[in-house]
Amino acid sequence: MMSKTDAEIRFGNMAELHGTKVQIPYLITEKNTFKRMDDEDKQQETQSPTMSPLASPPSSPPHYQRVPLSHGYSKLRKSTEQMHPAPYEARQPLVQPEGPSLGGPGAKPLRHQASLIRSFSVERELQDNNSSYPDEPWRITEEQREYYVNQFRSLQPDPSSFISGSVAKNFFTKSKLSIPELSYIWELSDADCDGALSLPEFCAAFHLIVARKNGYPLPESLPPTLQPEYLQAAFPKPKWECALFDSYSESVPANQQPRDLNRMEKLSIKDMADVPVPTQDVTGDDKQALKSATDEALPKDMSEDSATPKDSNSLKARPRSRSYSSTSIEEAMKRGEDPPTPPPRPQKTHSRASSLDLNKVFQPSVPASKSGLLPPPPALPPRPCPSQSEQASEAELHPQLNRAPSQAAESSPAKKDIPYSQPPSKPIRRKFRPENQATESQEPTTAVGGPASVATVKPHPTVQKQSSKQKKAIQTAIRKNKEANAVLARLNSELQQQLKEVHQERIALENQLEQLRPVTVL
Amino acid sequence: MGWILVTSAAVILFLQNYPLYIRSVPTENELKFHYMVHTSLDVVDEKISAMGKALVDQRELYLGLLYPTEDYKVYGYVTNSKVKFVMVVDSSNTALRDNEIRSMFRKLHNSYTDVMCNPFYTPGDRIQSRAFDGMVTSMMIQVC
């Protein structure tokens, strides 16, 4: 590309200069008030060791792999600055991975820059990493790669084939970035401009979207680590096997620190997504363990093996919950692109999650409560009234709801109606009371004794507590399901509208085509 | 039916006779360029209708010199989807040969195709692709 050759030429000249002098043209051309002095210092640190390897013309992409990307990046930046000084300076890419908020004036110290990075919820331990490898956000970590490939597979089962433009458009539109930005990201990532994304192109696009969502400004051109050749070389076509990790292992040491940064990205995404369950773990955690858990959780979540040497020790902390959080974050970003995942999450194997001990709740109570308590609660959403149920899901659940009372064998169906018209938590409890009454009256062969016997029988209170906890858990799960349903319904309606618009456009185009045809006949 | 206007000066890309893309190097005479381009659109339409055949190949896409004014030469190019590219160059740029103009139009067409490949671009929008901008800039620098 022209810009790169220009940059290389320019850099060749600058390579002879002392490290400090390299910064000067950069400073002159840069109008944004990034902390220049500190940039100098910082870049001196990073670039002085890299001066010698870069003195030779850096023409090949593998070279970029070996060298910390800060320098290659500054080259790109300088080249684009030369070409478009005014508009692009406002989008200084990732020498410092700050967000758009950093346009402010003043020479902020490096620490402040780090604090800004902290605003993206980076752990304090990562500050040094961030400063020394400012361009590493463009490097895809193993976990991210796995996730991207997973997403690719969800759209296109064959990993060696392409995702069509429209499919990719729908997918990336869910990330809620603006259309011009998405258009630009597509432009960057679709290297061969064929209107379809191959796997490396898709990973690059996804990574750019992730970065953009984290506030990183988009680069002027595709970073070297995101180019398809690089991605294909570093990450051979995935088969979801350890082979992938083996091939990656050699570049792992080089990526350790970048992975921290990417973990930072993941965590920032997490914060953005604000997932309740894992954040409980997050807040209680030491950030170090958090970071390491994150790092480990994703590979655990995506595949069985984890070849991350750095954090294999502190890994075991809370991998499962972390993995749920990270997947949920991506899902939150993509708004339900993985519909199956969010609903089961709170209910299923939370073996290590301390927030909801559903397993403990479920397992002992399953044998305990034979009054049909378990089957009805999942089907017992707090529907106010049949007339008020707007969504189809509610309607579906309603018949189950009706079934539940019958199963509960209560003697007062009227009481059931009242709970239905009330907020979620109450109907369960009320159901519980008629349940108790029913059991009291009928004395079925259940472990859930009557309320009268609660005080006397010791195992019963615990069972009731467990079942109430379990019910609360189920309620929360139901609530989340409803939210997910609402989101999906909204998304559906939006997509329907888009589809209509597209249809209209198509009709309009066809009309135009028809009108144009007679012109040529003349 | 878009058209692109490239002058030593300006690039305008039009769809259905309204602009998709406008670019001029010296920006002061932009209005004049617009006027010239609009008049040249009529010439383009004339040529299209004169062609009249079903098959249009690459050569026929290039319309050649539409009409020379005292200061400027206007070249035209039309794609198969009736997107018009209009290029206005300074008459003082005598160095520009016909084949150079052809190659420039070809580059424009290729870049336009790349823009089309972007699923986020809906035909009829103003073209905001940076790659396209870069290509046009480089071309205009070369011309000037």
Side-chain angles (χ1 to χ4, degrees):
Chain A
M1 301 243 219
M2 224 182 340
S3 67
K4 276 195 185 151
T5 52
D6 287 345
E8 287 163 13
I9 292 167
R10 213 173 306 116
F11 177 72
N13 297 333
M14 292 192 293
E16 302 150 15
L17 302 175
H18 184 59
T20 51
K21 288 185 193 168
V22 174
Q23 302 310 313
I24 292 179
Y26 171 73
L27 293 176
I28 290 172
T29 54
E30 185 184 35
K31 292 209 181 95
N32 266 359
T33 57
F34 287 141
K35 21 249 151 176
R36 301 205 188 124
M37 302 312 294
D38 299 297
D39 289 348
E40 244 182 354
D41 296 337
K42 182 177 62 103
Q43 293 205 355
Q44 272 177 23
E45 298 167 5
T46 60
Q47 293 182 5
S48 45
T50 66
M51 285 295 288
S52 45
L54 286 174
S56 57
S59 52
S60 58
H63 178 85
Y64 284 113
Q65 293 182 28
R66 280 179 259 119
V67 172
L69 287 179
S70 60
H71 209 78
Y73 227 28
S74 61
K75 280 167 34 184
L76 288 174
R77 193 177 44 247
K78 284 163 198 160
S79 66
T80 56
E81 282 172 7
Q82 279 221 347
M83 279 172 58
H84 311 277
Y88 289 119
E89 275 170 4
R91 305 185 81 248
Q92 283 299 332
L94 311 172
V95 173
Q96 301 94 13
E98 297 115 357
S101 59
L102 187 68
K108 298 166 192 166
L110 191 62
R111 264 164 257 108
H112 182 58
Q113 163 196 347
S115 71
L116 280 170
I117 297 169
R118 219 176 296 138
S119 72
F120 293 125
S121 75
V122 176
E123 296 84 358
R124 288 165 181 80
E125 294 83 6
L126 295 181
Q127 278 179 19
D128 296 334
N129 295 338
N130 293 342
S131 56
S132 1
Y133 297 93
D135 299 312
E136 293 310 331
W138 301 126
R139 198 177 278 272
I140 298 182
T141 67
E142 198 49 47
E143 310 91 4
Q144 289 176 324
R145 168 83 179 186
E146 292 299 321
Y147 182 77
Y148 300 154
V149 174
N150 200 14
Q151 292 297 315
F152 184 95
R153 284 189 159 216
S154 72
L155 297 174
Q156 167 65 272
D158 179 10
S160 61
S161 163
F162 293 89
I163 292 183
S164 73
S166 50
V167 170
K169 175 180 178 181
N170 290 335
F171 182 79
F172 289 133
T173 310
K174 295 177 196 170
S175 68
K176 302 299 181 191
L177 286 180
S178 65
I179 296 292
E181 286 187 350
L182 288 171
S183 176
Y184 183 57
I185 287 175
W186 176 280
E187 210 179 295
L188 285 178
S189 56
D190 191 5
D192 48 6
C193 290
D194 56 357
L197 293 181
S198 64
L199 180 60
E201 290 174 345
F202 177 83
C203 293
F206 209 134
H207 196 72
L208 285 168
I209 288 179
V210 166
R212 186 75 189 103
K213 289 234 99 171
N214 281 336
Y216 291 99
L218 291 174
E220 307 309 327
S221 64
L222 195 62
T225 49
L226 290 183
Q227 283 175 4
E229 312 85 39
Y230 173 84
L231 287 175
Q232 269 187 339
F235 302 93
K237 295 288 186 190
K239 306 221 176 216
W240 295 100
E241 291 165 3
C242 305
L244 185 62
F245 291 95
D246 293 340
S247 64
Y248 182 70
S249 60
E250 54 189 351
S251 50
V252 155
N255 288 343
Q256 278 183 3
Q257 281 164 331
R259 205 181 309 125
D260 293 341
L261 206 80
N262 285 298
R263 237 175 286 132
M264 159 198 76
E265 291 179 11
K266 287 285 177 195
L267 292 169
S268 63
I269 298 170
K270 258 183 233 81
D271 281 358
M272 284 162 48
D274 191 34
V275 178
V277 170
T279 49
Q280 293 178 13
D281 303 323
V282 171
T283 52
D285 239 0
D286 179 30
K287 293 204 170 179
Q288 175 81 40
L290 185 78
K291 151 188 87 168
S292 51
T294 313
D295 183 44
E296 296 312 305
L298 286 172
K300 274 220 165 191
D301 182 42
M302 299 303 169
S303 63
E304 301 76 10
D305 192 4
S306 67
T308 54
K310 191 173 185 188
D311 300 306
S312 50
N313 305 328
S314 50
L315 152 68
K316 318 301 175 194
R318 232 171 263 92
R320 212 60 71 87
S321 59
R322 192 58 45 231
S323 70
Y324 284 126
S325 66
S326 32
T327 53
S328 68
I329 284 145
E330 249 69 40
E331 286 150 10
M333 264 177 47
K334 298 300 179 183
R335 295 299 165 105
E337 284 164 354
D338 286 327
T341 337
R345 201 188 331 118
Q347 295 176 8
K348 277 190 185 162
T349 59
H350 257 251
S351 61
R352 300 193 198 191
S354 56
S355 56
L356 291 174
D357 287 333
L358 289 178
N359 283 342
K360 291 184 200 164
V361 171
F362 272 109
Q363 285 164 9
S365 60
V366 164
S369 61
K370 297 170 190 170
S371 62
L373 196 65
L374 268 183
L380 181 69
R383 296 290 161 256
C385 287
S387 58
Q388 292 184 13
S389 64
E390 297 160 9
Q391 294 180 5
S393 55
E394 295 184 5
E396 288 165 16
L397 291 169
H398 199 69
Q400 294 176 358
L401 200 81
N402 293 330
R403 261 184 278 124
S406 59
Q407 287 184 14
E410 41 156 312
S411 54
S412 55
K415 279 190 186 170
K416 280 291 182 187
D417 294 336
I418 299 168
Y420 294 163
S421 61
Q422 280 178 2
S425 55
K426 289 187 190 175
I428 304 286
R429 282 186 222 119
R430 286 189 186 230
K431 182 179 184 297
F432 197 75
R433 251 182 281 122
E435 189 62 48
N436 294 334
Q437 291 174 11
T439 57
E440 191 183 33
S441 60
Q442 298 180 7
E443 283 196 315
T445 60
T446 65
V448 182
S453 56
V454 166
T456 56
V457 183
K458 283 178 189 177
H460 293 304
T462 56
V463 168
Q464 288 175 0
K465 281 178 197 166
Q466 283 175 357
S467 49
S468 68
K469 276 188 207 169
Q470 151 200 341
K471 282 184 176 173
K472 282 178 194 167
I474 295 165
Q475 290 167 26
T476 53
I478 290 169
R479 226 172 294 135
K480 284 179 188 165
N481 283 348
K482 280 195 288 175
E483 286 163 22
N485 279 344
V487 168
L488 288 173
R490 238 178 292 136
L491 184 66
N492 189 21
S493 58
E494 286 174 21
L495 290 173
Q496 290 291 336
Q497 282 179 2
Q498 285 184 21
L499 183 64
K500 282 181 203 165
E501 288 165 19
V502 167
H503 275 310
Q504 289 170 4
E505 282 176 29
R506 182 184 165 192
I507 292 169
L509 281 172
E510 283 175 2
N511 287 336
Q512 292 172 15
L513 197 63
E514 284 301 319
Q515 292 168 11
L516 289 171
R517 275 205 198 109
V519 175
T520 56
V521 171
L522 290 174
Chain B
M1 282 185 295
W3 46 280
I4 283 186
L5 163 70
V6 186
T7 69
S8 58
V11 179
I12 301 189
L13 171 71
F14 268 68
L15 177 70
Q16 281 190 345
N17 299 345
Y18 74 87
L20 282 186
Y21 186 80
I22 302 177
R23 188 79 172 276
S24 9
V25 161
T27 51
E28 55 269 10
N29 281 338
E30 206 163 322
L31 204 57
K32 191 163 80 171
F33 293 140
H34 285 220
Y35 166 73
M36 275 194 295
V37 166
H38 275 283
T39 56
S40 64
L41 279 183
D42 296 332
V43 182
V44 172
D45 284 336
E46 215 179 282
K47 296 215 174 200
I48 292 176
S49 56
M51 270 200 268
K53 297 181 182 70
L55 51 95
V56 267
D57 60 1
Q58 174 71 20
R59 250 179 333 183
E60 292 173 25
L61 295 179
Y62 175 66
L63 301 172
L65 185 63
L66 295 178
Y67 67 95
T69 65
E70 64 278 10
D71 293 327
Y72 297 98
K73 294 191 197 135
V74 183
Y75 295 92
Y77 183 94
V78 66
T79 69
N80 287 326
S81 52
K82 300 290 176 287
V83 175
K84 304 190 189 81
F85 294 54
V86 178
M87 188 186 308
V88 176
V89 291
D90 219 359
S91 282
S92 52
N93 264 338
T94 49
L96 275 182
R97 302 255 173 77
D98 197 49
N99 50 0
E100 288 173 12
I101 306 279
R102 276 181 201 267
S103 66
M104 286 164 73
F105 274 128
R106 211 173 307 125
K107 273 195 281 182
L108 276 173
H109 195 173
N110 288 336
S111 301
Y112 178 68
T113 317
D114 290 343
V115 168
M116 277 296 171
C117 283
N118 189 332
F120 297 101
Y121 170 78
T122 52
D125 286 352
R126 303 293 294 247
I127 294 179
Q128 283 149 346
S129 150
R130 288 183 214 197
F132 194 82
D133 286 342
M135 189 273 314
V136 171
T137 312
S138 66
M139 234 170 48
M140 298 208 298
I141 290 174
Q142 174 192 352
V143 169
C144 304

